[in-house]
Amino acid sequence: MRMLPVASLGLALLLLSGCLPQSPTVTPTPQPSSTPVFASDEEALAAAEAAYRAFQKTSDEILAEGGTRPERIDAFAVGAAADTEKEGFADFVRKGYRSTGLTTFDNFSLEAFDPLAAEGRDIVRAYLCSDVSGVNVVDLTGTSVVAPDRPTKTAFEVGFDLRPPLLLVVSSKDVWDGGGVCP
Amino acid sequence: MKDKALLALVALGLLLALQPVSSAHAEGCSVSQQLIGGCTPNVSGNLNDGSAVLEGTAGSPGSGAGGSGAGDDGAASTPIDPNAQCVIVVAGRCLYAADHGVQVQPITLADIAAFRPDPGVDNMEPNGWMIVGLDTNFFATDGTQIKDGTLLGQPASVRFTPVTWRWTYGDGAAASLGTAGGTWGSQGIEEFDPSPTSHVYRAPGTYYIDLSIDFTAEYRFGGTQWIDIAGILPVAANRLVATAGDAKTVLVERECTKNPGGPGC
């Protein structure tokens, strides 16, 4: 809506200058590229959580299948996040690892929602607490390769990019060691 | 909206709010890393502080404050698991280093000597006799077999797959074939027709026919994937003893009542 005064001013100037026919054709104002896609923080948070859930589920599936067909993650991740995951998948393939069980998360909370974020910048950032207590990783012999001191819960700060028109995809995922996320 | 975001930040706790977001980052961590060894904040900057962070993030995020300032701008470095290169270590022996995609100290046929495939069975048509100048059909019955046992002290399975059938026909001829063959009937051809595994004897007499079947072997521990074992394991099948005669001898001088397995009976 804030474009409106400028547009009105421009139109007024054009009208004053006599450069327009008397009955100008009214065309819809082009939508700015940064049109807010979520009406509220709640909507953004729900969309981000759904996006992360899909990302986590797909990652679990790929790892359960030994890291094969890693491109499946591309539907849910982009950029550094996708690259990092794919390195992990390739590592599983090389080592013959396979995961069993599902990763869960909770305390998904909004850090920031910037509806006017430029393309390629995180439109949503969120924190979550990831729980791997139900997941095992085994090698070709079926022996667990999980480190004995593996933390059960890890806090992450996750960034999301907008994949038009309305899809959020994970763009970054960093360990959050600031506390307060995993109770 | 910004107000709500701020509220959300505050809700994360006083601790979080006290720390600038930019200084609390560590490097990205893949799900696979998290599953295997856990994702840890950057520990390359200061080992002592890093250790404290590791302990803190195990389950009590509040204590993370002590380590949050350590080495945030250091280069990302993942600790290398000294055993990472060797995927399968059994009895102190590295069998498979998947990092290199090769078997380092591979299991050999000698290692699986305790595992033996069942010998195949050599068959012939007609059964026990042949007509000089006409095709005699030989075929083996065998197949892929999985044998369970112990390998390097661990429960393991070995899978044998027949790949080559080596016949010696007793008349000086031999053939190495890539098929076990089958009955005339199963191949949809008439008796005494040539088949991929048939042989023609040129002189009457008694012949000893031997068959050796080459098996390839694979092994696995538990229910995981099969790993090739280099080499071929030849296993002798039964010996057939059969008499070759000319058509007059075998067809006229034998009757169906006395020889129900004879041709045309």
Side-chain angles (χ1 to χ4, degrees), chain B residues 122-124 130 135-139 165-181 195-203 205-212 239-244:
Chain B
D122 196 9
N123 308 274
M124 64 182 289
M130 43 278 221
D135 279 271
T136 303
N137 185 36
F138 295 94
F139 60 96
W165 290 260
R166 303 178 186 278
W167 272 281
T168 52
Y169 298 108
D171 60 352
S176 293
L177 303 175
T179 173
S195 76
T197 54
S198 64
H199 179 66
V200 177
Y201 286 85
R202 299 295 173 188
T206 297
Y207 295 94
Y208 299 90
I209 301 104
D210 291 313
L211 169 65
S212 176
R239 163 175 278 192
L240 295 173
V241 183
T243 303

Side-chain angles (χ1 to χ4, degrees), chain B:
Chain B
M1 286 186 215
K2 288 297 182 186
D3 291 342
K4 288 181 181 174
L6 278 175
L7 280 175
L9 265 178
V10 172
L12 286 171
L14 180 63
L15 186 67
L16 182 154
L18 287 173
Q19 294 174 6
V21 168
S22 60
S23 73
H25 283 183
E27 72 274 23
C29 179
S30 69
V31 174
S32 69
Q33 283 176 279
Q34 186 193 2
L35 295 184
I36 297 170
C39 293
T40 56
N42 192 333
V43 297
S44 61
N46 182 313
L47 188 58
N48 292 331
D49 283 359
S51 300
V53 169
L54 284 175
E55 290 164 10
T57 53
S60 53
S63 65
S68 64
D72 289 313
D73 54 352
S77 81
T78 306
I80 296 171
D81 177 0
N83 296 317
Q85 291 189 332
C86 199
V87 175
I88 303 178
V89 184
V90 177
R93 177 170 157 185
C94 177
L95 301 182
Y96 198 88
D99 265 355
H100 300 108
V102 297
Q103 300 187 47
V104 179
Q105 294 174 284
I107 292 291
T108 65
L109 290 174
D111 291 314
I112 61 156
F115 296 80
R116 299 294 294 181
D118 297 329
V121 177
D122 196 9
N123 308 274
M124 64 182 289
E125 294 176 316
N127 189 11
W129 54 275
M130 43 278 221
I131 298 173
V132 171
L134 295 182
D135 279 271
T136 303
N137 185 36
F138 295 94
F139 60 96
T141 45
D142 48 44
T144 299
Q145 311 166 29
I146 295 175
K147 299 292 182 187
D148 298 323
T150 302
L151 181 56
L152 300 183
Q154 300 290 321
S157 302
V158 175
R159 179 166 69 182
F160 296 100
T161 305
V163 290
T164 306
W165 290 260
R166 303 178 186 278
W167 272 281
T168 52
Y169 298 108
D171 60 352
S176 293
L177 303 175
T179 173
T183 63
W184 275 315
S186 70
Q187 299 176 76
I189 54 179
E190 297 297 320
E191 291 182 338
F192 302 104
D193 276 352
S195 76
T197 54
S198 64
H199 179 66
V200 177
Y201 286 85
R202 299 295 173 188
T206 297
Y207 295 94
Y208 299 90
I209 301 104
D210 291 313
L211 169 65
S212 176
I213 301 173
D214 289 346
F215 289 87
T216 58
E218 302 154 286
Y219 74 96
R220 70 177 179 185
F221 294 101
T224 56
Q225 74 184 54
W226 294 102
I227 300 170
D228 289 337
I229 300 173
I232 291 290
L233 185 67
V235 178
N238 55 299
R239 163 175 278 192
L240 295 173
V241 183
T243 303
D246 55 35
K248 180 170 177 294
T249 308
V250 297
L251 294 181
V252 177
E253 296 184 357
R254 295 192 180 195
E255 298 170 14
C256 282
T257 51
K258 294 178 181 174
N259 181 28
C265 294

